[in-house]
Amino acid sequence: MAHRIRHCARGLALRWLLPSLALVFAGCDRATAPQLANPSRPSTAPVTAAPAAEPARPLGAEALDTARLRETAARGSDADKLQLAAHLDRLIGEHLGNLDEPDPWSRIEVTQREVAELRAAAARNGSADAKAHLALAYLTGRGVTADTEQARRLADTAAAAGAPRAWVVQGQLLAGQGQAAEACALFRKAASRDDAAGLFYTGACAAYGWDGQPPSFAKGRPLLERAVAAGDPHAPAVLAERLRHAPDAVRDAEQALELLRLGARRGSVQAMTELARTLWFDAGAQRDPVTARRWLERAARAGHAAARWHYALALEQGAGGPANPVEALLWYELALDGAAGEHVEFAQAGRDRLAARLADEQKAAVRTALRDFTPKSSVAALAHWAQPPDRLSPQRQNGKGPGTSVPSP
């Protein structure tokens, strides 16, 4: 079973990079990845950010810098506001990629709202750069309600003013419509202005042949390396994938592993998932299923479909920690939300496997947890139902006595 899962996981590691840029981040965390929003959701919403419930808290070791930048932005220009927004945006990814922080979700949500508000204020004053980044926020639902039409309008206005990130957003919109070659042309335009996301997408276009030319890692690698150096969170995972599957002369598994670590620390859930898979199956002397399971949980809570079914498998098998078939069933169910291709096959197989083993009350507990699930949810209540049905007490098997009520998550 483990050998088959390892083989399939390797296949999936390649299949997530399909020749459509719209699929590069399918299922990735909206907190960190430039996802495509649902193009069927029109809106005429004004350019305003969602109101913040509370002031954003500074994140991690950057507290002093954050406080200084926030003080400057409070009395400064739009440029000061945008500098603070960029700083906070980077910290959001780093906070998500810090395994020492057990519960980053509340802080990330609050900080996303502040970032959107800062950019909305600068956009109202006419800043093209702010409009371009706000377009990306509307595309991904980061700090605002996702709105593809609003993203399109903002991106078009910012692109006309020459904002490089706007060309990236326009390219993502085209990629979502299956127009990969046209999208790559816009990414190249952004890359020519040294935009980190433009460099990343242009490198991917060359490496995988999405621009209509033969795939060329030799052409894509320097662009991906520049994107990594520029701080793009997603470039390390793509560069690592190419290094691991390149011809023997340029293959470098050790560098690929370090790139995955870098991408995970920057908050890329794809890098987290691939790093976890590598530490679980492929890292040889560096094999570390305990750390792999922690990365899988972080990426799973962020919404990555492959991470969710891998995490469910770890819980089912007891890899890297105690087995918990009830919580595993929850994650198999969650993996089916937004999954595609073989992700669906493996999630369904796991769900069916556990549904046949677990008692009705255990499955009822999972349904309750599933109904109320958010990334911040605790699933500790499911620990009380973790025993397989053959180990339940006779009273609980018969639905009698204490333990018959379904605990709230």
Side-chain angles (χ1 to χ4, degrees):
M1 174 67 177
H3 174 76
R4 180 170 182 264
I5 292 296
R6 179 179 359 185
H7 171 77
C8 295
R10 284 176 175 155
L12 286 168
L14 294 173
R15 288 184 175 88
W16 76 274
L17 291 160
L18 295 173
S20 167
L21 295 174
L23 295 179
V24 170
F25 296 107
C28 286
D29 172 34
R30 288 187 177 272
T32 60
Q35 284 185 318
L36 295 172
N38 184 353
S40 65
R41 184 188 290 168
S43 173
T44 57
V47 184
T48 55
E54 58 179 294
R57 291 168 286 177
L59 306 182
E62 302 278 356
L64 291 177
D65 284 345
T66 304
R68 176 181 56 80
L69 288 170
R70 188 175 284 120
E71 182 179 353
T72 302
R75 63 175 187 269
S77 65
D78 285 342
D80 294 319
K81 293 183 175 66
L82 295 179
Q83 184 181 5
L84 173 60
H87 172 80
L88 292 173
D89 219 8
R90 176 176 59 82
L91 289 185
I92 288 169
E94 292 180 0
H95 199 56
L96 183 65
N98 179 9
L99 283 182
D100 291 332
E101 171 54 63
D103 181 24
W105 312 107
S106 296
R107 236 184 270 190
I108 285 173
E109 289 179 5
V110 171
T111 307
Q112 283 178 333
R113 288 195 292 269
E114 184 184 10
V115 168
E117 288 172 349
L118 288 163
R119 287 173 172 157
R124 287 192 293 270
N125 291 333
S127 167
D129 182 62
K131 289 177 182 177
H133 282 86
L134 194 58
L136 183 57
Y138 276 108
L139 193 61
T140 59
R142 296 184 60 177
V144 295
T145 302
D147 184 338
T148 304
E149 291 308 311
Q150 183 73 325
R152 192 186 309 277
R153 286 192 291 271
L154 284 165
D156 289 347
T157 302
R165 187 55 57 94
W167 298 324
V168 174
V169 177
Q170 288 179 322
Q172 290 174 291
L173 289 164
L174 287 174
Q177 298 168 359
Q179 301 177 55
E182 294 85 348
C184 287
L186 286 168
F187 297 145
R188 284 195 296 272
K189 193 174 179 181
S192 71
R193 298 275 291 275
D194 292 325
D195 180 87
L199 289 165
F200 161 60
Y201 278 115
T202 304
C205 284
Y208 295 101
W210 293 329
D211 55 3
Q213 301 299 315
S216 173
F217 182 47
K219 288 173 57 179
R221 180 173 183 171
L223 290 159
L224 291 170
E225 289 174 340
R226 287 172 61 193
V228 171
D232 184 88
H234 314 295
V238 173
L239 183 55
E241 191 275 335
R242 287 291 78 195
L243 285 170
R244 291 169 63 181
H245 298 93
D248 290 344
V250 293
R251 188 173 299 172
D252 191 334
E254 189 62 33
Q255 184 185 359
L257 183 60
E258 289 308 307
L259 283 165
L260 290 175
R261 294 186 196 278
L262 174 62
R265 289 195 301 269
R266 288 180 179 177
S268 164
V269 292
Q270 181 62 41
M272 293 177 194
T273 304
E274 285 302 296
L275 175 59
R277 191 199 65 77
T278 302
L279 293 175
W280 191 356
F281 294 120
D282 297 337
Q286 299 187 66
R287 189 170 182 272
D288 185 354
V290 174
T291 302
R293 177 159 159 169
R294 295 181 68 199
W295 280 121
L296 284 175
E297 181 179 8
R298 184 61 57 95
R301 286 187 178 276
H304 195 277
R308 285 180 164 181
W309 75 258
H310 276 90
Y311 182 51
L313 182 68
L315 287 165
E316 181 184 1
Q317 294 185 345
N324 188 331
V326 179
E327 188 179 346
L329 178 59
L330 170 71
W331 286 104
Y332 280 129
E333 293 280 8
L334 288 166
L336 289 170
D337 182 15
E342 288 181 325
H343 295 314
V344 176
E345 175 189 341
F346 289 111
Q348 284 180 336
R351 180 190 63 183
D352 295 345
R353 202 164 49 242
L354 289 177
R357 288 174 48 198
L358 298 178
D360 289 344
E361 60 191 31
Q362 291 174 306
K363 289 182 280 189
V366 170
R367 287 193 296 271
T368 299
L370 188 64
R371 182 194 63 205
D372 300 326
F373 181 83
T374 70
K376 295 182 288 186
S377 296
S378 169
V379 291
L382 295 182
H384 299 297
W385 302 85
Q387 295 299 322
D390 58 349
R391 296 184 185 178
L392 292 175
S393 67
Q395 291 82 6
R396 285 176 62 180
Q397 286 191 47
N398 295 329
K400 300 176 181 178
T404 57
S405 61
V406 177
S408 299

